[in-house]
Amino acid sequence: MTGQGFLQIAIYVIALVALAKPLGTYMARVYQDESVGLNRWFAGIERLFYRLSGVKPDQEMRWTQYALAMLAFNLFGLLAVYYLQRFQDVLPLNPQALPAVTPDSSFNTAVSFATNTNWQGYSGEATMSYLTQMLGLSVQNFVSAASGMAVLVALIRGFVRRNSNSIGNFWVDMTRSTLYILLPLSLVLALVLVGQGVVQTFNPYQTVNLQETVSYSAPKLDADGKALLDAEGKPVTETLQTQQQTLALGPAASQIAIKQLGTNGGGFFNVNSAHPYENPTPLSNFLEMLAILLIPAALCYTFGLMVGDTRQGWTILGAMTLVFVALIFVTVPAEQSGNPALTALGVDQTVSAQQPGGNMEGKEARFGIVNSGLWAVATTAASNGSVNSMHDSYTPIGGMVPMWLMQLGEVIFGGVGSGLYGMIVFAIVAVFIAGLMIGRTPEYLGKKIEAYEMKMAAIIILIPPLMVLGGTAITLMLDAGKASIFNPGAHGFSEVLYAYSSAGNNNGSAFGGLSANVPFYNFMLGLAMLFSRYWLMIPVLAIAGSLAAKKTVPVGPGTLPTHTPLFAVLLIITVLMVGALTFVPALALGPIVEHLQMIGHQ
């Protein structure tokens, strides 16, 4: 790696950590109902929302009521997005007259955006109307992120409160997350992105003349518009020529801002943040990449402030950052070193003033290897899933790191709210293990960790691997699952494993070689997204309710300090051991054996 590459990574990490404290302080004040300026100016709007919806903001909820409110709201959003897609052909703001989306794709997309996964089996500019993109997908980008932040705040209250049967009000937490945090940040970022060239318009797509005639291969279609297949079942192609190009437009900037800040990741266009209308410049690339991890990092400091000990937040943020940086320096060098099979053929893959070197397949020349690899690690460290390069084209090790980051449970930063509450669950497991080692009832932040909390923690940790490994196994046993795998051998296995790792951990990125927009995958991945979101949120709220009802235990000589570098190391080891023991056998069948094949020039 070059010195310039080190500098780019250093600037990104320093900027991320430096912004964690001011934004974290602001969010803590929002959730503690302290003055932050905006809540004085928009207090009337907030009260109007409550009055119109019949919400009593001063009425607190038990954890079961909180969970039911969260589930009911998310179900309503899921149904709204589903029916928007099904009827978009007769609804306004559809200048391209796009048809209604199929039932299976509508189900998958509705689940995807309700669960903050934003898996996309469709091409946005060829499938979704402007109304569906704005009223359906963009709105869900806000409220699904706010739901995760609300659950985190409820868990924090569980540590703060004592002898209480309530953990807050879901409607208040979600409203304040949206109104005072997500909306202002998104407005600022959207305006900056428009200044950088990200499109924001209601105009229809524009057709322009090309300077030269372009020839391209396309599937040959029959009279019904279906692709013709040869005797081996492969698509028949034909060579076509064109002198025109249609430029897809739309209100993209407003969706791009919240897709990054809310760790959603669903792109307006098919190639996501590799598209020049979503991510046109190096500055837009840096800001979007920073926005991916900004709120998850800042929430660590919010956590420390709200529990009354900022060292707790810094410890968790330090653990996350250490794993994140270490894996950056696995992915980027793996891509920079290139493919030895190509070197054996005489291809020059060295870095020079004329070329970036390494494995540039699937990467934008304007971003290069460092910014592509850094984005790949950031987007899978968070449950974001947006891409500025195609992960399917990475080297086996370079592609394995994003996959494994998801398999760790999306707790290395993770989604807004969901990443931190997942890491807190691992912290509970870590103090439980430490307690067993010294024969003492474990404590975390003054609350005893007992059998009930550990049962809920076990559910939270085990559900995603069950969805990932179980879904992959079922898929590879069925003809319907194997029919969409176009790459044979280890890489084809990696594509399926990556898809379920993404859906089962609410990420949304993909290895693009898998044809997943078919009824089988739309249904299977939709189920994985549903279970992995809500079967985790409910146990987290159960832990919050249990902790809130307990009294605070005074610190004693046997209490494990959880604000030290030693505990950060213990936390990292706990996360990595769970991930390694669970997924290394599957990784050995995919990217690891593919790496051995690559270095063996097979």
PDB file of all heavy atoms in Angstrom, residues 554-572:
ATOM      1  N   PRO A 554     -23.898  -1.747  44.061  1.00  0.00           N
ATOM      2  CA  PRO A 554     -22.713  -0.896  44.254  1.00  0.00           C
ATOM      3  C   PRO A 554     -21.442  -1.591  43.783  1.00  0.00           C
ATOM      4  O   PRO A 554     -21.318  -2.811  43.849  1.00  0.00           O
ATOM      5  CB  PRO A 554     -22.686  -0.642  45.765  1.00  0.00           C
ATOM      6  CG  PRO A 554     -23.596  -1.637  46.367  1.00  0.00           C
ATOM      7  CD  PRO A 554     -24.547  -2.112  45.328  1.00  0.00           C
ATOM      8  N   VAL A 555     -20.505  -0.787  43.308  1.00  0.00           N
ATOM      9  CA  VAL A 555     -19.226  -1.323  42.835  1.00  0.00           C
ATOM     10  C   VAL A 555     -18.441  -1.862  44.022  1.00  0.00           C
ATOM     11  O   VAL A 555     -18.326  -1.211  45.069  1.00  0.00           O
ATOM     12  CB  VAL A 555     -18.416  -0.225  42.120  1.00  0.00           C
ATOM     13  CG1 VAL A 555     -17.038  -0.743  41.725  1.00  0.00           C
ATOM     14  CG2 VAL A 555     -19.179   0.276  40.903  1.00  0.00           C
ATOM     15  N   GLY A 556     -17.918  -3.075  43.878  1.00  0.00           N
ATOM     16  CA  GLY A 556     -17.144  -3.707  44.937  1.00  0.00           C
ATOM     17  C   GLY A 556     -15.788  -4.159  44.429  1.00  0.00           C
ATOM     18  O   GLY A 556     -15.461  -3.997  43.240  1.00  0.00           O
ATOM     19  N   PRO A 557     -14.992  -4.754  45.299  1.00  0.00           N
ATOM     20  CA  PRO A 557     -13.646  -5.195  44.887  1.00  0.00           C
ATOM     21  C   PRO A 557     -13.679  -6.294  43.835  1.00  0.00           C
ATOM     22  O   PRO A 557     -12.699  -6.469  43.102  1.00  0.00           O
ATOM     23  CB  PRO A 557     -13.023  -5.690  46.202  1.00  0.00           C
ATOM     24  CG  PRO A 557     -14.183  -5.955  47.112  1.00  0.00           C
ATOM     25  CD  PRO A 557     -15.237  -4.980  46.738  1.00  0.00           C
ATOM     26  N   GLY A 558     -14.784  -7.029  43.741  1.00  0.00           N
ATOM     27  CA  GLY A 558     -14.865  -8.098  42.738  1.00  0.00           C
ATOM     28  C   GLY A 558     -15.518  -7.670  41.442  1.00  0.00           C
ATOM     29  O   GLY A 558     -15.680  -8.496  40.538  1.00  0.00           O
ATOM     30  N   THR A 559     -15.895  -6.409  41.325  1.00  0.00           N
ATOM     31  CA  THR A 559     -16.552  -5.917  40.110  1.00  0.00           C
ATOM     32  C   THR A 559     -15.548  -5.787  38.967  1.00  0.00           C
ATOM     33  O   THR A 559     -14.468  -5.206  39.146  1.00  0.00           O
ATOM     34  CB  THR A 559     -17.216  -4.555  40.369  1.00  0.00           C
ATOM     35  OG1 THR A 559     -18.161  -4.677  41.441  1.00  0.00           O
ATOM     36  CG2 THR A 559     -17.934  -4.067  39.121  1.00  0.00           C
ATOM     37  N   LEU A 560     -15.904  -6.322  37.826  1.00  0.00           N
ATOM     38  CA  LEU A 560     -15.033  -6.233  36.655  1.00  0.00           C
ATOM     39  C   LEU A 560     -15.127  -4.837  36.061  1.00  0.00           C
ATOM     40  O   LEU A 560     -16.207  -4.399  35.657  1.00  0.00           O
ATOM     41  CB  LEU A 560     -15.440  -7.271  35.601  1.00  0.00           C
ATOM     42  CG  LEU A 560     -14.720  -7.182  34.255  1.00  0.00           C
ATOM     43  CD1 LEU A 560     -13.244  -7.553  34.408  1.00  0.00           C
ATOM     44  CD2 LEU A 560     -15.401  -8.075  33.218  1.00  0.00           C
ATOM     45  N   PRO A 561     -14.034  -4.085  35.982  1.00  0.00           N
ATOM     46  CA  PRO A 561     -14.088  -2.763  35.329  1.00  0.00           C
ATOM     47  C   PRO A 561     -14.370  -2.936  33.839  1.00  0.00           C
ATOM     48  O   PRO A 561     -13.672  -3.691  33.147  1.00  0.00           O
ATOM     49  CB  PRO A 561     -12.690  -2.190  35.570  1.00  0.00           C
ATOM     50  CG  PRO A 561     -12.097  -3.020  36.662  1.00  0.00           C
ATOM     51  CD  PRO A 561     -12.701  -4.374  36.530  1.00  0.00           C
ATOM     52  N   THR A 562     -15.387  -2.253  33.347  1.00  0.00           N
ATOM     53  CA  THR A 562     -15.763  -2.388  31.940  1.00  0.00           C
ATOM     54  C   THR A 562     -15.422  -1.147  31.126  1.00  0.00           C
ATOM     55  O   THR A 562     -15.967  -0.948  30.044  1.00  0.00           O
ATOM     56  CB  THR A 562     -17.273  -2.678  31.832  1.00  0.00           C
ATOM     57  OG1 THR A 562     -18.001  -1.649  32.521  1.00  0.00           O
ATOM     58  CG2 THR A 562     -17.615  -4.023  32.437  1.00  0.00           C
ATOM     59  N   HIS A 563     -14.525  -0.323  31.639  1.00  0.00           N
ATOM     60  CA  HIS A 563     -14.119   0.879  30.921  1.00  0.00           C
ATOM     61  C   HIS A 563     -12.625   0.861  30.605  1.00  0.00           C
ATOM     62  O   HIS A 563     -12.057   1.892  30.261  1.00  0.00           O
ATOM     63  CB  HIS A 563     -14.442   2.131  31.747  1.00  0.00           C
ATOM     64  CG  HIS A 563     -13.765   2.147  33.090  1.00  0.00           C
ATOM     65  ND1 HIS A 563     -14.359   1.609  34.209  1.00  0.00           N
ATOM     66  CD2 HIS A 563     -12.554   2.604  33.477  1.00  0.00           C
ATOM     67  CE1 HIS A 563     -13.518   1.754  35.238  1.00  0.00           C
ATOM     68  NE2 HIS A 563     -12.414   2.351  34.813  1.00  0.00           N
ATOM     69  N   THR A 564     -12.005  -0.294  30.711  1.00  0.00           N
ATOM     70  CA  THR A 564     -10.553  -0.389  30.558  1.00  0.00           C
ATOM     71  C   THR A 564     -10.170  -1.015  29.219  1.00  0.00           C
ATOM     72  O   THR A 564     -10.987  -1.704  28.584  1.00  0.00           O
ATOM     73  CB  THR A 564      -9.967  -1.250  31.687  1.00  0.00           C
ATOM     74  OG1 THR A 564     -10.498  -2.576  31.575  1.00  0.00           O
ATOM     75  CG2 THR A 564     -10.336  -0.667  33.049  1.00  0.00           C
ATOM     76  N   PRO A 565      -8.925  -0.825  28.783  1.00  0.00           N
ATOM     77  CA  PRO A 565      -8.463  -1.508  27.580  1.00  0.00           C
ATOM     78  C   PRO A 565      -8.558  -3.028  27.691  1.00  0.00           C
ATOM     79  O   PRO A 565      -8.807  -3.700  26.689  1.00  0.00           O
ATOM     80  CB  PRO A 565      -6.998  -1.049  27.466  1.00  0.00           C
ATOM     81  CG  PRO A 565      -6.960   0.271  28.154  1.00  0.00           C
ATOM     82  CD  PRO A 565      -7.933   0.155  29.288  1.00  0.00           C
ATOM     83  N   LEU A 566      -8.384  -3.558  28.909  1.00  0.00           N
ATOM     84  CA  LEU A 566      -8.490  -5.006  29.099  1.00  0.00           C
ATOM     85  C   LEU A 566      -9.893  -5.498  28.733  1.00  0.00           C
ATOM     86  O   LEU A 566     -10.047  -6.526  28.064  1.00  0.00           O
ATOM     87  CB  LEU A 566      -8.167  -5.381  30.552  1.00  0.00           C
ATOM     88  CG  LEU A 566      -8.312  -6.866  30.906  1.00  0.00           C
ATOM     89  CD1 LEU A 566      -7.340  -7.706  30.079  1.00  0.00           C
ATOM     90  CD2 LEU A 566      -8.067  -7.085  32.408  1.00  0.00           C
ATOM     91  N   PHE A 567     -10.920  -4.749  29.162  1.00  0.00           N
ATOM     92  CA  PHE A 567     -12.278  -5.176  28.824  1.00  0.00           C
ATOM     93  C   PHE A 567     -12.532  -5.020  27.330  1.00  0.00           C
ATOM     94  O   PHE A 567     -13.249  -5.841  26.734  1.00  0.00           O
ATOM     95  CB  PHE A 567     -13.313  -4.367  29.608  1.00  0.00           C
ATOM     96  CG  PHE A 567     -14.725  -4.807  29.323  1.00  0.00           C
ATOM     97  CD1 PHE A 567     -15.220  -5.983  29.845  1.00  0.00           C
ATOM     98  CD2 PHE A 567     -15.548  -4.035  28.510  1.00  0.00           C
ATOM     99  CE1 PHE A 567     -16.508  -6.405  29.564  1.00  0.00           C
ATOM    100  CE2 PHE A 567     -16.839  -4.440  28.220  1.00  0.00           C
ATOM    101  CZ  PHE A 567     -17.322  -5.633  28.758  1.00  0.00           C
ATOM    102  N   ALA A 568     -11.954  -3.996  26.716  1.00  0.00           N
ATOM    103  CA  ALA A 568     -12.106  -3.835  25.266  1.00  0.00           C
ATOM    104  C   ALA A 568     -11.542  -5.047  24.533  1.00  0.00           C
ATOM    105  O   ALA A 568     -12.151  -5.555  23.572  1.00  0.00           O
ATOM    106  CB  ALA A 568     -11.410  -2.559  24.792  1.00  0.00           C
ATOM    107  N   VAL A 569     -10.395  -5.548  24.996  1.00  0.00           N
ATOM    108  CA  VAL A 569      -9.800  -6.748  24.395  1.00  0.00           C
ATOM    109  C   VAL A 569     -10.699  -7.953  24.623  1.00  0.00           C
ATOM    110  O   VAL A 569     -10.920  -8.769  23.712  1.00  0.00           O
ATOM    111  CB  VAL A 569      -8.393  -6.986  24.968  1.00  0.00           C
ATOM    112  CG1 VAL A 569      -7.851  -8.334  24.493  1.00  0.00           C
ATOM    113  CG2 VAL A 569      -7.447  -5.867  24.565  1.00  0.00           C
ATOM    114  N   LEU A 570     -11.235  -8.091  25.843  1.00  0.00           N
ATOM    115  CA  LEU A 570     -12.146  -9.200  26.138  1.00  0.00           C
ATOM    116  C   LEU A 570     -13.374  -9.140  25.250  1.00  0.00           C
ATOM    117  O   LEU A 570     -13.848 -10.171  24.746  1.00  0.00           O
ATOM    118  CB  LEU A 570     -12.551  -9.156  27.615  1.00  0.00           C
ATOM    119  CG  LEU A 570     -13.586 -10.210  28.067  1.00  0.00           C
ATOM    120  CD1 LEU A 570     -13.047 -11.620  27.874  1.00  0.00           C
ATOM    121  CD2 LEU A 570     -13.975  -9.973  29.528  1.00  0.00           C
ATOM    122  N   LEU A 571     -13.893  -7.942  25.031  1.00  0.00           N
ATOM    123  CA  LEU A 571     -15.064  -7.770  24.180  1.00  0.00           C
ATOM    124  C   LEU A 571     -14.754  -8.160  22.737  1.00  0.00           C
ATOM    125  O   LEU A 571     -15.549  -8.857  22.084  1.00  0.00           O
ATOM    126  CB  LEU A 571     -15.538  -6.316  24.258  1.00  0.00           C
ATOM    127  CG  LEU A 571     -16.766  -5.926  23.447  1.00  0.00           C
ATOM    128  CD1 LEU A 571     -17.965  -6.780  23.822  1.00  0.00           C
ATOM    129  CD2 LEU A 571     -17.080  -4.439  23.635  1.00  0.00           C
ATOM    130  N   ILE A 572     -13.609  -7.724  22.241  1.00  0.00           N
ATOM    131  CA  ILE A 572     -13.214  -8.071  20.872  1.00  0.00           C
ATOM    132  C   ILE A 572     -13.066  -9.582  20.725  1.00  0.00           C
ATOM    133  O   ILE A 572     -13.541 -10.182  19.744  1.00  0.00           O
ATOM    134  CB  ILE A 572     -11.898  -7.362  20.496  1.00  0.00           C
ATOM    135  CG1 ILE A 572     -12.128  -5.854  20.371  1.00  0.00           C
ATOM    136  CG2 ILE A 572     -11.334  -7.916  19.191  1.00  0.00           C
ATOM    137  CD1 ILE A 572     -10.849  -5.055  20.205  1.00  0.00           C
TER     138      ILE A 572
END
